[in-house]
Amino acid sequence: SVQGEHGNIKFNVKEPNSFIFVNADNNYEAISPDKYELFSNYPNPFNSTTTITYDLKNWSKVDIEIFDVLGKNINNYNYPMKAPGRHRFNWKVKDRYGKKMSTGVYFYQLIARDPFSGKTKYIKTNKMMLVK
């Protein structure tokens, strides 16, 4: 078990290999956003990969979900603990089985939850276009 502390918040991480030092994460920028925000992906339209950027106001459990135009969940990425700041996520245009996706419109959704209570703090969905 690893114990961490941020300000007056203390937390324990019991899952093996689930704790990453944020200063070692190349997709993390230590800023202090005053709100949660999901930005437009870039590039958009895109071909083989796209970057999804989001800000977290507080420590959060993060879910990033990818949907096709019919609303079918293509893939989801779950993070039990993310630090406040700016985060980048690179989607390599594959479904949960590793299959490459075809040209079309897709949606990505960010859900940020309080890591202790599980209460949803922010949810937003944006549209993106894959072209081959």
Coordinates of all heavy atoms in Angstrom, one line a residue, residues 5 11 18 21 24 29 47 51 54 58 69 71 74 80 91-92 96 107 109 112 120 126:
E5 N -0.2 12.2 -0.1 CA -0.8 13.4 0.5 C -0.7 14.6 -0.5 O 0.3 14.8 -1.1 CB 0.0 13.7 1.8 CG -0.7 14.7 2.7 CD 0.0 14.9 4.0 OE1 0.3 13.8 4.6 OE2 0.2 16.0 4.4
F11 N -4.5 9.9 0.9 CA -5.1 8.8 0.2 C -4.2 7.6 0.2 O -3.0 7.7 0.4 CB -5.5 9.1 -1.3 CG -4.4 9.7 -2.1 CD1 -3.5 8.8 -2.8 CD2 -4.1 11.0 -2.1 CE1 -2.5 9.3 -3.6 CE2 -3.0 11.5 -2.9 CZ -2.2 10.6 -3.6
S18 N -0.4 0.9 -9.6 CA -1.4 1.9 -10.0 C -1.0 3.3 -9.7 O -1.7 4.2 -10.0 CB -2.7 1.5 -9.4 OG -2.7 1.7 -8.1
F21 N 4.1 8.7 -10.3 CA 4.5 10.1 -9.9 C 4.2 11.0 -11.0 O 4.6 10.8 -12.1 CB 6.0 10.1 -9.5 CG 6.3 9.4 -8.3 CD1 6.8 8.1 -8.3 CD2 6.0 9.9 -7.0 CE1 7.1 7.4 -7.2 CE2 6.3 9.2 -5.9 CZ 6.9 8.0 -5.9
A24 N 6.7 12.4 -13.4 CA 7.3 11.5 -14.4 C 6.4 11.2 -15.6 O 6.8 10.5 -16.5 CB 7.7 10.2 -13.7
E29 N 0.8 18.3 -17.2 CA 1.4 19.6 -17.0 C 0.8 20.2 -15.7 O -0.4 20.2 -15.5 CB 0.9 20.5 -18.2 CG 1.5 21.9 -18.2 CD 1.0 22.7 -19.4 OE1 0.5 22.1 -20.4 OE2 1.1 23.9 -19.3
N47 N -5.9 11.0 -38.6 CA -5.7 9.7 -39.3 C -5.4 8.6 -38.4 O -6.2 7.7 -38.1 CB -4.6 9.9 -40.4 CG -4.5 8.7 -41.3 OD1 -4.1 7.6 -40.8 ND2 -4.7 8.8 -42.6
T51 N -4.9 13.5 -30.1 CA -4.7 13.8 -28.7 C -5.9 14.5 -28.1 O -6.4 15.5 -28.6 CB -3.4 14.8 -28.6 OG1 -2.3 14.1 -29.1 CG2 -3.1 15.1 -27.1
Y54 N -7.4 17.6 -21.4 CA -8.4 18.0 -20.4 C -7.7 18.5 -19.1 O -6.6 18.2 -18.8 CB -9.3 16.8 -20.0 CG -8.6 15.6 -19.5 CD1 -8.5 15.4 -18.1 CD2 -8.1 14.6 -20.4 CE1 -7.8 14.2 -17.6 CE2 -7.4 13.5 -19.9 CZ -7.3 13.3 -18.5 OH -6.7 12.2 -18.0
N58 N -9.4 19.2 -9.4 CA -9.0 18.5 -8.2 C -8.6 17.1 -8.5 O -8.8 16.6 -9.7 CB -10.3 18.4 -7.2 CG -10.7 19.7 -6.8 OD1 -9.9 20.5 -6.3 ND2 -12.0 20.0 -6.9
V69 N -20.6 6.7 -34.1 CA -21.7 7.6 -34.4 C -23.1 7.0 -33.9 O -24.0 7.8 -33.7 CB -21.7 8.0 -35.9 CG1 -22.2 6.8 -36.7 CG2 -22.5 9.2 -36.1
G71 N -23.5 5.5 -31.1 CA -23.5 5.5 -29.6 C -22.9 4.2 -29.0 O -23.0 4.1 -27.8
I74 N -16.8 2.1 -28.0 CA -15.7 1.4 -28.8 C -14.6 1.0 -27.8 O -14.0 0.0 -28.0 CB -15.2 2.4 -29.8 CG1 -16.3 2.8 -30.8 CG2 -14.0 1.9 -30.5 CD1 -16.8 1.7 -31.6
P80 N -7.7 5.4 -11.8 CA -8.2 5.5 -10.4 C -7.9 6.8 -9.7 O -8.6 7.2 -8.8 CB -7.7 4.3 -9.7 CG -6.5 3.8 -10.5 CD -6.8 4.3 -11.9
W91 N -5.2 8.8 -28.3 CA -6.0 7.7 -28.8 C -5.4 7.2 -30.1 O -5.3 8.0 -31.1 CB -7.4 8.1 -29.0 CG -8.3 6.9 -29.3 CD1 -8.3 5.7 -28.8 CD2 -9.3 6.8 -30.3 NE1 -9.2 4.8 -29.3 CE2 -9.9 5.5 -30.3 CE3 -9.8 7.8 -31.2 CZ2 -10.9 5.1 -31.2 CZ3 -10.8 7.4 -32.1 CH2 -11.3 6.1 -32.1
K92 N -5.0 6.0 -30.2 CA -4.4 5.4 -31.3 C -5.4 4.7 -32.3 O -5.0 3.8 -33.1 CB -3.3 4.4 -30.9 CG -2.2 5.2 -30.2 CD -1.1 4.3 -29.7 CE 0.1 5.0 -29.1 NZ -0.2 6.0 -28.1
R96 N -11.4 -1.7 -28.2 CA -11.0 -2.4 -27.0 C -10.3 -3.8 -27.4 O -9.6 -4.4 -26.6 CB -12.1 -2.6 -26.0 CG -13.2 -3.6 -26.5 CD -14.2 -3.8 -25.4 NE -14.6 -2.6 -24.6 CZ -15.5 -1.7 -24.9 NH1 -16.1 -1.8 -26.0 NH2 -15.7 -0.7 -24.1
F107 N -17.1 10.0 -31.0 CA -17.3 10.9 -29.8 C -16.4 10.4 -28.7 O -16.2 9.2 -28.5 CB -18.8 10.9 -29.4 CG -19.7 11.4 -30.4 CD1 -20.3 10.6 -31.4 CD2 -20.0 12.8 -30.5 CE1 -21.1 11.0 -32.3 CE2 -20.9 13.3 -31.5 CZ -21.4 12.4 -32.4
Q109 N -15.8 11.1 -24.5 CA -16.4 11.6 -23.3 C -15.4 11.5 -22.1 O -14.8 10.5 -21.9 CB -17.7 10.8 -23.0 CG -18.4 11.3 -21.8 CD -19.7 10.5 -21.6 OE1 -19.7 9.4 -21.2 NE2 -20.8 11.2 -21.9
A112 N -15.1 12.9 -14.8 CA -14.2 13.1 -13.7 C -15.1 12.9 -12.4 O -16.1 13.6 -12.3 CB -13.6 14.5 -13.7
T120 N -19.9 12.2 -9.4 CA -19.4 12.9 -10.7 C -19.3 14.4 -10.5 O -20.2 15.0 -10.0 CB -20.5 12.6 -11.8 OG1 -20.6 11.2 -12.0 CG2 -20.1 13.2 -13.1
N126 N -17.3 15.4 -26.7 CA -17.0 16.1 -27.9 C -17.0 15.2 -29.1 O -16.8 14.0 -28.9 CB -15.6 16.8 -27.7 CG -15.6 18.0 -26.8 OD1 -16.6 18.5 -26.5 ND2 -14.4 18.4 -26.5

